Amino acid sequence: NAGVTQTPKFRILKIGQSMTLQCTQDMNHNYMYWYRQDPGMGLKLIYYSVGAGITDKGEVPNGYNVSRSTTEDFPLRLELAAPSQTSVYFCASSYLNNEQFFGPGTRLTVL
Amino acid sequence: DAKTTQPTSMDCAEGRAANLPCNHSTISGNEYVYWYRQIHSQGPQYIIHGLKNNETNEMASLIITEDRKSSTLILPHATLRDTAVYYCIVSAHAGNNRKLIWGLGTSLAVNP
């Protein structure tokens, strides 16, 4: 199993550009999550999903959108990139409890 | 708001046991104690979790006090590769409190 994969690994965006961060898991997990982590800080939950077709907001959802059309994929969309969205983004998945499996992260810089 | 309190940093000698404390005095009856770690620049890694009994797996042991207001993660024989930030999190398995709320964790340095 590849586990949780994320693409791209790195990205530099200009203010106002849009992009989609991809996340795929091959463990048939029903729960998936998007977090962001600013330097020296803990993770903040952006959005999560309890199954295909169901998503909900986390602590810091503003400026982001998600969709969950399949069990495997949970893409995160940034519509109008802002410098405040410079961060490391982690995707995670879990089965029933909170034993979450994390991807390697996407390092995003908005200039 | 994080519902746990951990020391900011700790040191441990290689080969010795690392004991990482966590206070969670407002833990609810249905909330579990989870431990994760994050090695520099990598995604967090699940270590162990428990409700009220002590737990042990191949990575670590988790000791939860009888009143459940605090716990200790024990790495029995720390190695240099255990240098990481360790997060203690309380979370339910269902309902609004099932989400993980991450604090700043304890930065553990294992020294040769």
Side-chain angles (χ1 to χ4, degrees), chain B residues 32-53:
Chain B
Y32 291 72
V33 180
Y34 277 81
W35 284 85
Y36 281 78
R37 73 180 182 182
Q38 187 175 24
I39 297 170
H40 181 62
S41 298
Q42 297 180 21
Q45 177 189 24
Y46 165 83
I47 301 173
I48 199 168
H49 76 279
L51 184 61
K52 47 186 172 182
N53 297 325

Side-chain angles (χ1 to χ4, degrees), chain A residues 64-103:
Chain A
Y64 307 95
N65 280 299
V66 293
S67 59
R68 183 98 181 269
S69 56
T70 67
T71 299
E72 296 78 20
D73 300 306
F74 191 39
L76 178 72
R77 179 82 177 163
L78 283 71
E79 290 294 348
L80 291 169
S84 60
Q85 293 178 306
T86 293
S87 192
V88 180
Y89 292 84
F90 290 104
C91 178
S93 71
S94 66
Y95 182 48
L96 286 177
N97 61 24
N98 269 320
E99 182 181 346
Q100 296 185 13
F101 293 81
F102 283 79

Side-chain angles (χ1 to χ4, degrees), chain A residues 14 18 20 37-38 41 47 52 59 76 82 86-87 108 111:
Chain A
K14 294 182 180 178
S18 61
T20 299
Q37 185 175 33
D38 298 331
M41 304 298 289
Y47 271 97
E59 302 170 80
L76 178 72
T86 293
S87 192
L108 175 66
L111 299 174

Side-chain angles (χ1 to χ4, degrees), chain B:
Chain B
D1 294 332
K3 296 188 283 186
T4 62
T5 304
Q6 298 178 253
T8 303
S9 62
M10 295 182 65
D11 286 285
C12 177
E14 188 178 19
R16 304 296 295 268
N19 298 288
L20 291 88
C22 180
N23 286 320
H24 31 79
S25 59
T26 60
I27 191 169
S28 301
N30 65 339
E31 288 183 317
Y32 291 72
V33 180
Y34 277 81
W35 284 85
Y36 281 78
R37 73 180 182 182
Q38 187 175 24
I39 297 170
H40 181 62
S41 298
Q42 297 180 21
Q45 177 189 24
Y46 165 83
I47 301 173
I48 199 168
H49 76 279
L51 184 61
K52 47 186 172 182
N53 297 325
N54 297 337
E55 302 287 344
T56 295
N57 63 20
E58 65 279 3
M59 289 183 67
S61 294
L62 174 61
I63 308 298
I64 303 174
T65 57
E66 194 169 340
D67 64 7
R68 302 210 321 125
K69 293 184 177 182
S70 65
S71 61
T72 301
L73 179 75
I74 301 172
L75 309 177
H77 305 286
T79 70
L80 299 179
R81 287 178 295 180
D82 292 321
T83 292
V85 178
Y86 288 77
Y87 296 95
C88 169
I89 306 167
V90 296
S91 173
H93 281 180
N96 290 333
N97 289 334
R98 77 170 304 283
K99 289 173 281 194
L100 297 179
I101 306 297
W102 300 72
L104 298 180
T106 295
S107 180
L108 175 69
V110 180
N111 303 309

